[in-house]
């Protein structure tokens, strides 16, 4: 079964989800306006995980990263500044 990694950018306006495979290919994405972190994350996870992918790692970033991490048990928690820096390399 293919290994997948989930990234969640938990911002004040929107929450973005990205599922990538081990070849670093984007498998699925989802963007939701933030209408309350708990409910928005719940809906986003239901959508991004509907095909039951084998998720072996989860990372969070954004202003709500700590809450999101505590809610879902993320493996990595990074600031959005670090995420932007790594993304430009």
């Amino acid at each position: 079964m293919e290994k997948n990694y989930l990234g969640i950018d938990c911002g004040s306006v929107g929450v973005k989800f990205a599922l990538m495979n081990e070849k670093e290919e984007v498998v699925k994405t989802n963007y939701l306006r933030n209408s309350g972190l708990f409910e928005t994350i719940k809906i986003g996870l239901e959508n991004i995980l509907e095909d039951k992918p084998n998720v072996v790692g989860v990372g969070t970033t954004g202003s709500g990263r700590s809450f999101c991490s505590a809610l879902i048990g993320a493996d990595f928690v990074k600031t959005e500044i670090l995420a932007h820096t790594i993304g430009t390399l």
Side-chain angles (χ1 to χ4, degrees), residues 5-20 26 28-37 39-49 58-65 68-69 72 74 76 78 80 83-84:
Y5 302 89
L6 176 62
I8 304 173
D9 180 5
C10 224
S12 59
V13 175
V15 181
K16 296 166 275 305
F17 300 80
L19 188 66
M20 293 180 66
V26 176
K28 190 173 185 179
T29 63
N30 191 20
Y31 171 83
L32 296 170
R33 300 250 329 139
N34 188 348
S35 57
L37 276 180
E39 189 64 25
T40 305
I41 292 168
K42 179 179 177 266
I43 293 167
L45 287 174
E46 288 171 351
N47 179 276
I48 205 95
L49 302 175
V58 179
T60 63
T61 190
S63 60
R65 66 188 173 276
C68 183
S69 173
I72 64 172
F76 299 97
K78 304 294 180 189
E80 57 272 24
H84 288 221

